[in-house]
Amino acid sequence: MTLQDRDRDRAADRRAFVMAGLACSAGVAAVVTINALSLADEITRSGAAPGLYPYILEGASGAATLMLLPAVLALGAAFPLETGRWRISLAVHLAGLAAFAALHTGLMTGFRSMLWPLLLERPYQGFGSPLETFIYELRKDALTYISFQAVLMLLRALTRARMTITALRREAREGGMIALRCGGREIRLPASEIVSASAAGNYAEIRTQTGSHLARIPLSELETMLAGAGVRPVRLHRSHLAVHAAIREIIPGPDGGAQVRLADGGSLPVSRRYRAGLKTV
């Protein structure tokens, strides 16, 4: 990995951290609101007046969760569950979960103990001993902790992928080079050397005058990069495209389709859907 790649990944991770914080905060607010309204409705159905009780009960838990959210996400950013270090990361996250549950329980109980006399005019009575409360909350806190880490991992992967695509498009546009990931290697081809490409599952078989490369890239993304590099791509079929300068002959077919002969001696089919686009070639 080059220094430029590392800088791009760090920038992506910072952006993912902020986005995860906003998404998780919104999720916590939504859960608190739904739980409080549901509890208020249950109390009303029983014939009593809910007052502020359900909102203080759930709000104290939500406030404690939001206070701990930055630390939980920071732990996820420092110890991602990635190949090669997942055992260490898993051990750290198990300890982090226990700490999160303990701190959440303590903060929540403290907020409730402070607010109960002020707003409900009675002392707060917990659901049992501190240990019993911790065990009860641990089951819910485990889901919360895992959800936070899952959101961070997803946004981290999506942000890195988006920034990588942006960088590759910039390289194609400014330098005329197409960067391709082939297995564990990364190769760079001058856009002018590419003759054609065909979809092969999640990969694309890219042919040049001197050989072919199987790269993990959608055909549509390759088409965008070629256009950005100033090489006119021509879509022949949902699974095939060719570079304009490499098309040597168009052979009409009986069913409205066609075949094209290419500069490397190969040929590709043209579907009826894309046949009209060849009239300008």
Side-chain angles (χ1 to χ4, degrees):
M1 179 181 289
T2 65
L3 181 60
Q4 186 178 14
D5 291 335
R6 291 193 182 94
D7 290 342
R8 185 174 62 240
D9 285 348
R10 291 192 189 101
D13 291 348
R14 288 192 295 270
R15 183 176 299 180
F17 186 91
V18 173
M19 292 171 62
L22 294 174
C24 292
S25 296
V28 170
V31 170
V32 167
T33 301
I34 292 171
N35 287 347
L37 291 175
S38 298
L39 181 57
D41 185 61
E42 291 178 8
I43 294 173
T44 301
R45 289 174 181 272
S46 69
L52 294 176
Y53 168 75
Y55 307 101
I56 299 173
L57 184 76
E58 296 297 334
S61 176
T65 301
L66 290 175
M67 287 183 65
L68 297 171
L69 175 59
V72 172
L73 294 179
L75 199 63
F79 295 93
L81 291 169
E82 295 178 338
T83 303
R85 57 179 300 190
W86 69 268
R87 291 183 178 86
I88 295 175
S89 296
L90 181 60
V92 169
H93 283 297
L94 288 175
L97 170 59
F100 171 70
L103 290 170
H104 174 255
T105 301
L107 287 170
M108 177 186 67
T109 302
F111 289 152
R112 290 174 178 174
S113 298
M114 179 179 64
L115 294 173
W116 242 246
L118 293 174
L119 300 177
L120 299 179
E121 299 181 347
R122 64 178 186 270
Y124 173 68
Q125 300 292 329
F127 301 107
S129 68
L131 179 59
E132 290 173 331
T133 303
F134 170 76
I135 294 174
Y136 173 78
E137 292 295 332
L138 178 61
R139 293 175 295 178
K140 297 186 292 182
D141 286 341
L143 179 60
T144 301
Y145 186 93
I146 292 171
S147 297
F148 287 168
Q149 299 301 341
V151 169
L152 178 61
M153 289 176 63
L154 176 61
L155 290 175
R156 186 169 180 255
L158 291 175
T159 305
R160 281 190 174 190
R162 186 180 299 115
M163 293 189 73
T164 297
I165 290 173
T166 300
L168 294 178
R169 287 179 178 178
R170 185 184 304 112
E171 182 176 2
R173 185 173 61 253
E174 296 177 356
M177 301 294 291
I178 306 297
L180 303 170
R181 297 191 181 277
C182 303
R185 301 178 301 122
E186 181 175 303
I187 63 172
R188 284 174 165 79
L189 297 175
S192 58
E193 292 185 4
I194 294 176
V195 173
S196 64
S198 299
N202 294 326
Y203 293 79
E205 183 183 0
I206 299 164
R207 290 181 289 277
T208 68
Q209 290 281 6
T210 57
S212 64
H213 305 275
L214 191 64
R216 191 175 182 86
I217 183 173
L219 209 58
S220 58
E221 179 59 30
L222 177 62
E223 186 176 8
T224 299
M225 291 171 64
L226 287 171
V231 176
R232 181 182 169 190
V234 179
R235 199 62 176 253
L236 307 174
H237 186 278
R238 62 179 298 180
S239 300
H240 305 287
L241 66 81
V243 171
H244 174 264
I247 297 176
R248 294 291 181 265
E249 184 182 4
I250 302 171
I251 305 170
D255 57 352
Q259 288 274 333
V260 293
R261 300 287 184 188
L262 303 173
D264 64 349
S267 64
L268 288 174
V270 181
S271 66
R272 284 183 295 178
R273 177 182 176 184
Y274 295 98
R275 178 67 177 87
L278 286 178
K279 294 179 180 179
T280 59
V281 174

